[in-house]
Amino acid sequence: MAALPEQENDEPLDLVSLAVSRPHEALQRARTILAGDPGPLAASVARQAIGLVLREYGDIDAAIIELRTARRLAHRAGSASREADVLGTLGVALIFAGRSVSGRNALDAAVQQSTGHLRYRMLYRRGAALLIIGQNRDALEDLNTAIAGMRAADDQAWEARALQERAVSSLVSGFARRAIADLRRAELLFDARGQELEAGEAIMNRGVVALQLGDLPDALSCFDEAAERFRYLGATEPDLSIHRCAALTAAGLFRDAMREAEAAIAQLDQIHGRPTKRAELLLIAARSALAAREPTTALAWATEARQLFDRQGRRWWRAHADLARVSAGIEAGSATATLLRAARRCVGELSDVSSPDLPLARLATGRVA
């Protein structure tokens, strides 16, 4: 989720777009620019590009430091649009780090401070971030507005990004078929613009659609194709492991799914990656352990995931971690009054967030009762 200022076309500004297409090349070019003692505007762009690459594929805390520096440099350069642009990137990084309130405040400020076409890009950023913290209705409103504005301006790369996030919104809500048209157009636009990494993400999301529609071979094929693109570009993608775990579980390969999740968590910990993705990986690992009939392990992972989601202010995700925790408690044979209260609370929370998993929670409550 990068951004370009609306009015500048100097070579350094290409770095921000490059960071979400060929991240290693962007890092090298940004460091070369910084080594040449640039002015504050060019230095801000270089710092933003570095922060963006670190945010997506590396150390989230280091990314926040780089982006705060980029914002100070933009302010020093007297560029209001550049400062708003960096603020949007920073807001998403704070969301990724699990600091949902600070991240939302930064994104709200970025939207308020931006004008014209840049505002549509900030709305896209905020919409994508709101999906992460489970505020799906607000996210969809931002994304619909952003898509309409970008299409009118023929801003194809950014339209593709917003389309992809709207497809994710459909997938999260259990409406896989709604996502198909958005993903097809996004992939075409990404390929046409040379956004290789983001095209890989669109392929990955096509796999998620196939998985939700029950086409396991197509899903695994999409995941393999996306993995090949990510390897070629030297990028790690926790979401791919999450989706592969779901596919392996659907195929009955429960222990393979557990191993995939554990390896992805270890890799994320090694690079000090996003806490938000760690929580999601713990949840998919818990689900895999449940399917493998290892309720004690599932309960431990689901409990840790629930704690992280709660700390990150991610209500939608917390409710689903609660469902995994209740399910693990049932399989462990601990049908207690405490578990029944937890199951009933889980039904209420899943109902509040309009989750398609609500029937599973009701069934779990009936089993405990």
Side-chain angles (χ1 to χ4, degrees):
M1 288 175 282
L4 291 170
E6 56 182 339
Q7 81 280 22
E8 310 205 46
N9 295 305
D10 293 337
E11 187 273 340
L13 295 173
D14 295 339
L15 284 176
V16 182
S17 181
L18 191 66
V20 290
S21 179
R22 297 189 295 279
H24 286 289
E25 183 180 338
L27 271 180
Q28 292 172 356
R29 286 174 56 183
R31 287 168 177 158
T32 299
I33 287 172
L34 291 173
D37 192 24
L41 185 63
S44 173
V45 176
R47 293 288 183 187
Q48 184 184 9
I50 293 171
L52 180 54
V53 174
L54 290 173
R55 188 192 76 184
E56 297 292 327
Y57 315 109
D59 188 327
I60 190 66
D61 293 327
I64 290 170
I65 292 171
E66 291 286 348
L67 292 170
R68 282 178 169 157
T69 302
R71 185 188 177 189
R72 287 195 296 271
L73 288 164
H75 183 74
R76 190 187 308 168
S79 174
S81 62
R82 167 115 289 278
E83 187 174 0
D85 188 76
V86 177
L87 187 59
T89 309
L90 174 61
V92 175
L94 290 166
I95 295 283
F96 283 179
R99 294 153 67 176
S100 299
V101 174
S102 297
R104 177 66 192 264
N105 289 341
L107 286 160
D108 288 346
V111 170
Q112 291 166 5
Q113 292 177 24
S114 56
T115 59
H117 187 61
L118 181 61
R119 187 171 183 276
Y120 291 119
R121 294 180 175 182
M122 296 303 101
L123 284 169
Y124 148 73
R125 284 238 192 87
R126 188 173 69 181
L130 290 175
L131 278 179
I132 295 170
I133 58 178
Q135 296 179 15
N136 297 343
R137 291 175 186 171
D138 290 344
L140 189 57
E141 184 178 342
D142 277 354
L143 292 169
N144 284 337
T145 303
I147 289 166
M150 292 166 185
R151 188 166 294 173
D154 196 30
D155 189 355
Q156 293 185 355
W158 285 85
E159 180 192 344
R161 290 169 187 142
L163 285 167
Q164 175 144 268
E165 294 300 332
R166 189 168 71 179
V168 170
S169 174
S170 298
L171 290 168
V172 167
S173 302
F175 300 112
R177 294 190 185 279
R178 290 184 187 176
I180 294 173
D182 281 349
L183 287 174
R184 283 177 177 163
R185 178 163 173 79
E187 189 178 341
L188 287 171
L189 293 175
F190 283 140
D191 280 331
R193 300 281 303 195
Q195 294 298 115
E196 300 171 43
L197 192 59
E198 290 172 300
E201 291 170 356
I203 293 168
M204 176 183 71
N205 285 325
R206 273 203 288 113
V208 179
V209 172
L211 184 61
Q212 286 197 10
L213 295 177
D215 190 343
L216 190 57
D218 188 35
L220 290 170
S221 175
C222 287
F223 296 153
D224 287 345
E225 184 181 351
E228 185 60 33
R229 289 209 183 200
F230 295 148
R231 274 194 296 271
Y232 173 75
L233 295 166
T236 58
E237 182 49 79
D239 281 333
L240 183 59
S241 292
I242 291 169
H243 300 319
R244 272 182 159 167
C245 284
L248 290 167
T249 299
L253 302 172
F254 309 130
R255 296 192 182 281
D256 287 345
M258 289 174 64
R259 284 192 287 271
E260 173 88 17
E262 285 184 291
I265 291 168
Q267 183 182 43
L268 203 65
D269 288 345
Q270 185 176 16
I271 64 171
H272 306 288
R274 308 180 209 167
T276 47
K277 286 302 168 190
R278 190 178 199 281
E280 291 170 31
L281 283 163
L282 282 165
L283 177 55
I284 196 70
R287 290 171 174 168
S288 302
L290 267 173
R293 298 188 180 277
E294 293 196 19
T296 303
T297 301
L299 183 59
W301 280 337
T303 299
E304 186 179 354
R306 200 261 184 208
Q307 291 169 345
L308 284 173
F309 289 134
D310 190 47
R311 198 179 308 152
Q312 294 163 6
R314 302 170 71 189
R315 187 182 176 199
W316 189 96
W317 289 95
R318 183 187 66 194
H320 289 80
D322 260 339
L323 176 58
R325 192 170 60 159
V326 168
S327 300
I330 293 170
E331 296 302 324
S334 55
T336 64
T338 299
L339 186 62
L340 181 58
R341 286 193 297 271
R344 287 172 172 162
R345 183 178 63 246
C346 184
V347 168
E349 290 183 349
L350 289 171
S351 177
D352 287 345
V353 298
S354 303
S355 169
D357 287 343
L358 179 58
L360 297 177
R362 287 178 172 151
L363 179 59
T365 303
R367 289 183 64 191
V368 179

